[in-house]
Amino acid sequence: MINQQIIQLVRYGIHHQLIEQEDYDYSINKLCDLLKYDHFSETEVSTSTWEEPSRLLEPLLDFAVAQKIIEHDTILSRDIFEAKIMDLFVKRPSDIEKTFYEKYQSNPIEATSYFYNLSKKSNYIKTSRISKNIDLQGPTSYGTLKMTINLSKPEKDPLDIIKMKNHISTDYPLCVLCKEQVGLSQSPGRTNHRIIPVLLNDELFYIQYSPYVYYNEHCIVLKKEHEPMHVCRKTFQRLIDFVDKFPHYLLGSNAGLPIVGGSILSHEHYQGGRDYFPIQDAQVLAEYNHGNIKISKLHWPINVIRLESTNKDNLIDTVNKLFMYWKDYSDRELGIIAQTDQPHNAITPIARKNNDKYIFDVALRNNRTTAEFPLGVFHPHPENHHIKKENIGLIEVMGLAVLPGRLDQEIPMIKDAILHQKPVDKEAIVHQQWVQSLQKIYNGEDINVFINNQLAIKFAKCLEDSAVFKQDTVSQEHYDSFIKNWIAFLD
């Protein structure tokens, strides 16, 4: 049986052009050596070539466990050994970089498609796990919002993320984003990891794809140096430089502060990809012009100002002036305080390009905490934590909620409680208050559509909680004044 699995995996590698036919014997021998298997014999096997290799890898991992090559039969230990197996089928970083830029010369899309497909076929992106994620969407007053129930990555607590801020390790590499992760066998699933160098604003960064791919071609762009996240004028220059080089991608930065930032604040990095997000269809409530810059106030649950121009230098300057103006802005009537013993105002900037037009969507953020809201005043409030407790990052800002995997088990219980007008099962008791409110408005429609729509509304409320200017009349008047005063400041 193990003979067949070894041969099939090598044929898989040849079929997907990870290796050449001439590498057949070499790959067989290297795989047998890794598995400490010395009874190989050529065997007739099915010519089937799986779209992803997990089905071929599982028996080999089981064999490695049985032979004590994998000491502890855990997901982490299996992932580490699996990456070692697939590394036999992945070329050296220099070869991949050369191929990438050869393809880039003719078409940037061809280059990124090559690297993305390589990341999937080499099982760095574990498509078998990703395929288990549940994608949903539902209408709201802001348009259709998207959600994905994440079954491939554990939910993080914001307090754990805060503890990790600016954490400097003495280990090698310093964090999971460092370029030194490439080929490292001690890290979870990093032996088959590859990255592509790219100059942004004359600084060296690297492109990799997220192992969790929350959306199409979800990439991470990380700085060569292990430096903390820091939003500044250089950030906007790098984002624009990236979309100039890869105009089919967008790229955004999380805020460089905890709560309103990403989960890894110790290493400068950005997230991008090739997808269409709900925010791109957001209604424009007000429009202003300043020179060759078009400025729009969007109808969006979190406060986003859109800036557009064909002049990228002027656009970068204007975005930077918005950031500088916002950094020092306070409105105590609305609870917006720019500084206490530390800065609180930040932005989430997202850049993309449409033909010759450059576009920035800039979300206004504030990470202040209080005794009432220890996880953040402008963060999903406690009544919404049963759906979303993690930080609202740039993915959520764009209208895609990454929801915890536990909902996969809890949603059927919620549906059952609504259909039968009964208390929710104790395993989903965290949703009891929400369920009671839904039972009052449920009118017998398709329960799946009903829940999807209610989840979208709940996600919108999480974003509204995170807005610094709320949706009420007074807050919106203050928001309008902020925008007008900032535009005046530009002069």
Side-chain angles (χ1 to χ4, degrees):
M1 179 63 178
I2 199 70
N3 274 313
Q4 294 179 339
Q5 298 299 329
I6 289 173
I7 293 170
Q8 277 198 319
L9 186 58
V10 172
R11 287 186 179 178
Y12 167 92
I14 294 170
H15 176 79
H16 290 294
Q17 300 179 321
L18 298 174
I19 58 175
E20 305 294 333
Q21 181 63 48
E22 291 77 11
D23 298 322
Y24 179 83
D25 292 330
Y26 173 85
S27 300
I28 291 286
N29 291 334
K30 295 297 287 184
L31 192 48
C32 287
D33 182 57
L34 185 61
L35 291 165
K36 296 180 171 55
Y37 180 69
D38 55 7
H39 301 292
F40 178 80
S41 61
E42 197 66 46
T43 308
E44 285 294 325
V45 299
S46 166
T47 58
S48 177
T49 52
W50 309 109
E51 287 304 308
E52 51 85 20
S54 295
R55 190 167 174 180
L56 302 177
L57 284 164
E58 284 303 316
L60 299 181
L61 297 175
D62 291 341
F63 176 83
V65 169
Q67 298 301 311
K68 304 298 182 184
I69 300 170
I70 298 177
E71 283 190 47
H72 306 289
D73 190 12
T74 64
I75 293 176
L76 177 60
S77 296
R78 290 171 76 97
D79 281 354
I80 291 173
F81 191 74
E82 177 187 288
K84 291 180 181 179
I85 292 176
M86 292 310 298
D87 186 50
L88 301 177
F89 300 92
V90 187
K91 294 178 181 179
R92 290 178 180 270
S94 57
D95 293 329
I96 293 172
E97 177 187 342
K98 180 180 178 182
T99 301
F100 180 91
Y101 278 107
E102 284 175 350
K103 293 180 180 295
Y104 180 87
Q105 293 305 314
S106 60
N107 190 334
I109 295 177
E110 186 178 343
T112 53
S113 294
Y114 155 75
F115 187 41
Y116 185 59
N117 287 327
L118 173 69
S119 300
K120 289 193 294 184
K121 299 308 179 187
S122 65
N123 215 40
Y124 178 72
I125 296 174
K126 293 177 173 58
T127 54
S128 62
R129 291 185 189 171
I130 303 303
S131 65
K132 296 176 183 177
N133 288 351
I134 301 170
D135 295 325
L136 308 169
Q137 64 179 30
T140 71
S141 61
Y142 306 98
T144 298
L145 296 183
K146 296 181 179 180
M147 300 154 288
T148 178
I149 296 178
N150 172 29
L151 300 177
S152 56
K153 184 180 179 183
E155 184 177 14
K156 291 183 179 179
D157 191 294
L159 292 177
D160 293 332
I161 295 172
I162 293 172
K163 290 177 185 177
M164 288 299 294
K165 182 181 186 308
N166 295 332
H167 171 70
I168 302 297
S169 169
T170 57
D171 295 335
Y172 170 89
L174 293 174
C175 77
V176 295
L177 287 181
C178 284
K179 68 180 182 62
E180 292 83 7
Q181 289 283 347
V182 175
L184 194 69
S185 61
Q186 288 88 353
S187 294
R190 288 294 192 269
T191 321
N192 59 338
H193 176 44
R194 301 293 186 267
I195 57 180
I196 300 291
V198 59
L199 280 177
L200 301 179
N201 192 40
D202 295 323
E203 303 166 273
L204 187 54
F205 282 75
Y206 295 89
I207 304 171
Q208 70 173 69
Y209 286 102
S210 168
Y212 306 107
V213 286
Y214 294 139
Y215 50 84
N216 188 46
E217 299 187 36
H218 177 190
C219 68
I220 297 171
V221 179
L222 56 103
K223 195 174 185 183
K224 175 187 176 183
E225 294 80 16
H226 179 78
E227 298 174 354
M229 290 282 293
H230 177 63
V231 175
C232 60
R233 192 178 194 280
K234 286 184 178 180
T235 305
F236 316 133
Q237 292 172 310
R238 294 163 185 162
L239 298 184
I240 286 295
D241 204 2
F242 183 87
V243 298
D244 248 348
K245 289 180 166 66
F246 303 96
H248 57 297
Y249 275 15
L250 58 79
L251 191 69
S253 173
N254 272 304
L257 299 178
I259 297 175
V260 294
S263 58
I264 301 176
L265 298 178
S266 60
H267 196 126
E268 186 82 272
H269 72 285
Y270 312 120
Q271 293 186 75
R274 189 182 184 188
D275 212 330
Y276 195 90
F277 290 90
I279 195 172
Q280 293 174 242
D281 291 326
Q283 178 187 353
V284 174
L285 292 180
E287 190 175 296
Y288 310 87
N289 288 291
H290 186 271
N292 56 18
I293 309 292
K294 184 168 81 170
I295 301 167
S296 301
K297 174 190 174 183
L298 301 186
H299 178 56
W300 200 242
I302 200 166
N303 308 120
V304 175
I305 299 172
R306 176 169 294 163
L307 301 95
E308 306 172 63
S309 180
T310 56
N311 188 315
K312 62 183 177 183
D313 293 327
N314 286 355
L315 183 62
I316 289 168
D317 286 339
T318 306
V319 172
N320 188 56
K321 288 177 180 177
L322 171 58
F323 178 46
M324 298 306 293
Y325 189 80
W326 170 247
K327 277 177 65 176
D328 296 327
Y329 178 85
S330 291
D331 186 333
R332 291 186 176 273
E333 183 180 345
L334 301 183
I336 302 171
I337 300 174
Q339 180 98 22
T340 54
D341 58 336
Q342 58 186 299
H344 295 299
N345 283 357
I347 63 170
T348 302
I350 304 153
R352 64 183 190 275
K353 192 175 182 182
N354 185 4
N355 296 320
D356 63 343
K357 182 191 297 181
Y358 299 91
I359 304 169
F360 260 109
D361 284 337
V362 179
L364 307 178
R365 316 298 303 274
N366 180 290
N367 79 338
R368 192 168 64 87
T369 61
T370 62
E372 182 182 5
F373 299 110
L375 297 183
V377 175
F378 305 103
H379 179 83
H381 289 177
E383 65 268 22
N384 295 319
H385 286 177
H386 64 106
I387 293 297
K388 181 70 175 175
K389 188 178 181 181
E390 281 190 306
N391 296 350
I392 298 297
L394 73 91
I395 298 176
E396 282 81 15
V397 167
M398 294 188 293
L400 171 61
V402 181
L403 302 179
R406 58 182 169 78
L407 290 176
D408 181 44
Q409 302 297 321
E410 295 167 356
I411 285 177
M413 301 177 192
I414 293 171
K415 292 176 182 177
D416 183 61
I418 293 171
L419 285 171
H420 296 93
Q421 294 291 307
K422 65 174 187 177
V424 72
D425 293 347
K426 63 179 181 180
E427 291 84 358
I429 195 64
V430 66
H431 301 289
Q432 181 60 38
Q433 186 175 352
W434 186 48
V435 168
Q436 288 175 340
S437 67
L438 296 184
Q439 286 172 335
K440 295 177 182 177
I441 63 173
Y442 179 63
N443 60 8
E445 61 195 278
D446 185 309
I447 189 64
N448 297 311
V449 173
F450 177 76
I451 290 298
N452 289 357
N453 294 348
Q454 294 303 318
L455 279 170
I457 292 170
K458 178 66 75 167
F459 171 41
K461 289 180 179 177
C462 290
L463 292 179
E464 288 176 343
D465 288 344
S466 306
V468 289
F469 297 100
K470 304 304 183 187
Q471 294 298 320
D472 61 89
T473 302
V474 172
S475 296
Q476 287 300 300
E477 288 174 352
H478 286 227
Y479 187 19
D480 290 336
S481 294
F482 167 82
I483 294 174
K484 291 174 183 177
N485 291 337
W486 161 64
I487 293 174
F489 166 79
L490 294 176
D491 297 323

